[in-house]
Amino acid sequence: MFHCPARLHGPKQIFLLVFLLACAFPGTAFTSGDKTGILLVAFGTSVPEAATTLDHIRAAYEKAFPGCPVVMAYTSRIIRNKLDRGGIHVPSISEGLDQLAKNGALVVRVQSLHIMAGEEFAALARSLLLNIKGHPGRFRAVYLGRPLLESRADARAVARAVLGFHRKKGAAPEALILMGHGQEQGRADLIFEGARATFRENDPLVFMATVEGARTFDDMLKDLGQSHVKKVVLAPFMLVAGDHARNDLGGAEDDSWASRLKAAGYDVEIRLNGLGDVPGIDDIFIKHTKDSTDDLMLEPQKP
Ligand code: CO
């Protein structure tokens, strides 16, 4: 039978205890003495009004994590290059991690500002892992916070926040049409359908479709026809009201959702508010940041 010498056994047990505490109470990372930095990651936008939505989210993080440096990174190289040409530099993921390291952060909490764990979120995780591999020992822990819609509880909280924002009590019945992004590969289609079902349980006059996902505008239009409402409110189901909201949803071209709905005889109102403008959405992201125990630097521990 193998016995560990006591002098080796002790420190190992202490290490294990500390490790378990850190896993069970990720909040300790904020008080353990290791400086924590926050990296918020969004696709990005070159629309200045939409960028103010991201500024509000950053401000909410600075309030929620006092004293922690908060950096916002954009993943879209096209958008970062476009902003650079106008004199605005927004860091990439790796530049954001560099900034936090320079700021003395030893623990990094990365928060995906994606709506669902689709292609963009998978790419974020891969970028982080490659970055950690390229800079061994730079950070002690890198936690990854999951996107907005992960659980049934998230879907309910999002529906509550969005309906609270858009629905006025006692108003005449009108349809609320939400435009999600979606992906051709179908990666987030099921999360989208789960969110749609949750919205419909709360309000049968919510109609949702995507720009690129399986559920199309035509599917939505068919559904809407059954409701016999005349007035429709359009809003993006995306973090910011950027290019998709201003062109594909509310644009003046014949093929925008607003134009097609007008052509179908509906009275259309466009609301250019991204989900990030809806009170309560930032709290869900912040909860995911605090709750994350996914330290990308540790091999997952299976019992
Ligand atoms: Co897009």
Side-chain angles (χ1 to χ4, degrees):
M1 203 184 189
F2 181 77
H3 289 282
C4 291
R7 65 193 156 79
L8 281 179
H9 204 71
K12 263 189 187 166
Q13 274 185 332
I14 290 165
F15 173 76
L16 188 68
L17 183 68
V18 168
F19 172 73
L20 286 173
L21 279 174
C23 279
F25 306 104
T28 53
F30 299 105
T31 52
S32 66
D34 283 347
K35 186 168 175 180
T36 295
I38 310 243
L39 181 68
L40 303 176
V41 180
F43 177 78
T45 181
S46 58
V47 176
E49 296 90 329
T52 62
T53 304
L54 297 175
D55 292 340
H56 291 150
I57 294 175
R58 187 214 305 258
Y61 266 83
E62 282 166 350
K63 209 174 143 202
F65 301 95
C68 298
V70 178
V71 172
M72 171 85 66
Y74 287 179
T75 55
S76 168
R77 194 194 302 227
I78 292 173
I79 288 173
R80 279 187 286 106
N81 287 346
K82 192 174 166 189
L83 290 171
D84 264 333
R85 287 194 294 274
I88 299 167
H89 184 72
V90 178
S92 64
I93 293 169
S94 66
E95 287 171 341
L97 291 169
D98 291 348
Q99 278 186 26
L100 290 174
K102 268 190 210 130
N103 262 305
L106 287 174
V107 172
V108 177
R109 288 199 168 255
V110 181
Q111 180 58 49
S112 148
L113 296 180
H114 304 111
I115 306 307
M116 301 165 200
E119 192 69 37
E120 288 281 322
F121 180 74
L124 164 61
R126 197 158 64 236
S127 300
L128 292 171
L129 288 169
L130 287 169
N131 193 282
I132 290 166
K133 200 175 160 199
H135 300 84
R138 181 159 74 157
F139 300 119
R140 294 208 179 125
V142 177
Y143 293 97
L144 177 56
R146 307 282 305 177
L148 183 68
L149 283 164
E150 279 286 295
S151 64
R152 181 120 172 101
D154 290 338
R156 285 182 171 146
V158 169
R160 209 165 32 240
V162 169
L163 293 173
F165 183 75
H166 283 291
R167 293 309 211 188
K168 286 167 241 127
K169 281 225 165 69
E174 54 187 32
L176 175 63
I177 296 174
L178 299 172
M179 175 192 255
H181 196 288
Q183 272 161 5
E184 220 180 318
Q185 300 86 346
R187 213 160 192 179
D189 281 345
L190 295 177
I191 308 171
F192 184 81
E193 286 307 319
R196 195 167 75 86
T198 307
F199 269 88
R200 293 293 285 264
E201 277 165 23
N202 285 278
D203 186 335
L205 287 182
V206 175
F207 299 86
M208 295 170 72
T210 60
V211 189
E212 290 174 20
R215 190 163 181 84
T216 64
F217 174 85
D218 291 320
D219 297 329
M220 189 275 295
L221 192 62
K222 224 181 277 169
D223 250 18
L224 179 66
Q226 319 270 313
S227 73
H228 307 293
V229 291
K230 281 279 142 229
K231 166 86 193 281
V232 299
V233 171
L234 304 187
F237 194 65
M238 300 180 200
L239 185 67
V240 300
D243 195 52
H244 287 299
R246 281 155 214 272
N247 295 309
D248 303 318
L249 183 67
E253 293 78 22
D254 289 347
D255 59 351
S256 77
W257 287 20
S259 299
R260 293 174 69 183
L261 286 160
K262 277 178 205 162
Y266 290 97
D267 175 12
V268 175
E269 179 187 337
I270 301 151
R271 291 195 193 144
L272 291 179
N273 299 105
L275 290 175
D277 295 318
V278 173
I281 295 294
D282 49 1
D283 296 330
I284 302 169
F285 282 121
I286 288 168
K287 186 179 185 310
H288 288 191
T289 308
K290 287 181 175 170
D291 286 354
S292 174
T293 55
D294 293 333
D295 181 355
L296 298 182
M297 293 177 64
L298 290 178
E299 185 120 4
Q301 301 289 313
K302 298 286 176 199

